[in-house]
């Protein structure tokens, strides 16, 4: 059982996924917060999160959450507004609430604002595929903040204490900001799966296909670090090889129309990049 420190603000965590577990563990270990309670949708998830975080008490409903100075709503984007409304309806004492969406603004938690809370959106630009890895990789992570002044100020202090590099972001800019993160991170696994799948489709063994894709990714990443995007770009679009682009695009479209569309769009973006600084 965790002994509370009166000088450290209490944090209630609503949502026990990888983002919530990672941030709560980092803040708890750094002495930034005292994780007090954890709520999750799935039975058992809150208890598992408490074990990962190393502090807190699992609860099974919003109304059972005790008062706290800080609240992290680490729930899926579609659940932020409903959870904020439900939390406001419990009559919980106004406090500071953060949500972790990179796309949605702080105003997604408007029901809490209307109840006197100070709210902010706080998005660390990091892949949270694994809690242990995310904790190790967190120092230096860009953290985009937006919302009410008091909530943003507390978030800035909390993220800086665990190595975050904080920037202020306008609510209207969040869609493009988050789209950049999607391009930089989320699409890489998709492209790896597509490449490995196409090699399997032409008869390569599954293990060889996956290893081949991984090798290309590792070399591309090394080239990007050494040369930057323009210098690392290769392939038919970079060369202006119209015949390959046309015939390869047609073959992909016949194989899978969605892949054909993706190939055409990415080839056009590659052509634009290749044309820069010429």
């Amino acid at each position: 059982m965790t002994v509370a420190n009166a000088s450290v603000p209490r944090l209630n965590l609503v949502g026990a996924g990888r983002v919530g577990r990672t941030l709560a563990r980092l803040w708890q270990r750094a002495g930034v917060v005292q994780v007090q309670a954890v709520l999750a949708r799935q039975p058992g998830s809150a208890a598992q999160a408490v074990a990962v975080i190393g502090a807190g008490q699992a609860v099974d409903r919003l109304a059972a959450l005790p008062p706290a100075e800080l609240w992290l709503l680490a729930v899926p984007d579609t659940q932020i507004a409903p959870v904020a409304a439900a939390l406001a309806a419990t009559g919980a004492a106004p406090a500071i609430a953060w949500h972790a969406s990179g796309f949605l603004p702080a105003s997604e938690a408007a029901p809490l604002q209307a109840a006197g809370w100070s709210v902010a959106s706080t998005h660390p630009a990091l892949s949270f595929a694994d809690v242990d890895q995310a904790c190790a990789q967190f120092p230096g992570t860009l953290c985009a903040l937006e919302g009410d002044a008091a909530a943003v100020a507390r978030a800035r202090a909390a993220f800086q204490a665990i190595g975050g590099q904080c920037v202020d972001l306008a609510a209207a800019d969040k869609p493009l900001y988050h789209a950049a993160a999607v391009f930089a991170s989320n699409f890489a696994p998709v492209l790896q799966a597509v490449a490995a799948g196409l090699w399997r489709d032409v008869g390569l063994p599954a293990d060889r296909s996956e290893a081949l894709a991984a090798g290309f990714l590792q070399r591309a990443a090394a080239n990007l670090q050494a040369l930057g995007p323009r210098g690392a770009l290769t392939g038919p679009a970079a060369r202006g090889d119209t015949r390959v682009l046309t015939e390869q695009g047609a073959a992909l479209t016949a194989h899978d129309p969605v892949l054909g569309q993706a190939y055409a769009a990415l080839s056009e973006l590659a052509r634009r990049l290749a044309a820069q600084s010429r």
Side-chain angles (χ1 to χ4, degrees):
M1 181 175 179
T2 303
V3 178
N5 184 336
S7 66
V8 178
R10 297 165 296 177
L11 173 77
N12 285 342
L13 174 61
V14 181
R18 288 169 291 193
V19 174
R21 295 183 189 201
T22 299
L23 295 177
R25 181 203 274 184
L26 287 170
W27 285 330
Q28 175 71 29
R29 290 183 174 179
V32 175
V33 305
Q34 176 62 52
V35 177
Q36 176 179 238
V38 178
L39 173 67
R41 287 187 299 174
Q42 300 298 326
S45 293
Q48 293 172 5
V50 167
V52 170
I53 295 164
Q57 179 179 2
V59 298
D60 59 3
R61 62 189 188 282
L62 275 174
L65 288 164
E69 293 79 26
L70 302 172
W71 296 64
L72 176 61
L73 309 184
V75 297
D77 284 11
T78 56
Q79 294 301 308
I80 294 171
V83 167
L87 179 55
T90 67
I96 286 175
W98 304 318
H99 73 65
S101 172
F103 176 74
L104 296 172
S107 59
E108 192 72 5
L112 291 174
Q113 288 175 307
W117 294 55
S118 181
V119 304
S121 66
T122 59
H123 183 257
L126 181 69
S127 174
F128 290 86
D130 176 82
V131 172
D132 290 336
Q133 286 188 345
C135 285
Q137 295 168 350
F138 194 88
T141 294
L142 184 143
C143 301
L145 310 178
E146 174 271 326
D148 300 332
V152 166
R154 291 293 292 270
R156 180 175 291 108
F159 280 107
Q160 287 177 341
I162 56 174
Q165 302 296 315
C166 297
V167 296
D168 294 322
L169 190 67
D173 290 335
K174 292 201 73 176
L176 293 183
Y177 157 82
H178 191 255
V182 171
F183 273 102
S185 178
N186 299 159
F187 287 153
V190 174
L191 296 176
Q192 285 285 290
V194 166
L198 288 171
W199 278 317
R200 288 196 302 271
D201 289 345
V202 298
L204 270 67
D207 57 346
R208 185 65 184 272
S209 299
E210 292 171 3
L212 190 57
F216 270 104
L217 178 63
Q218 291 166 1
R219 290 186 289 273
N223 290 339
L224 275 168
Q225 287 188 315
L227 306 172
R230 174 67 182 82
L233 181 66
T234 62
R239 298 190 301 268
D241 195 334
T242 304
R243 178 181 177 183
V244 170
L245 290 170
T246 300
E247 295 185 12
Q248 200 162 65
L252 278 168
T253 298
H255 183 75
D256 183 333
V258 173
L259 289 184
Q261 293 173 356
Y263 182 84
L266 290 170
S267 294
E268 171 58 19
L269 292 175
R271 184 198 65 75
R272 294 184 194 178
L273 178 58
Q276 292 176 10
S277 302
R278 278 184 174 173

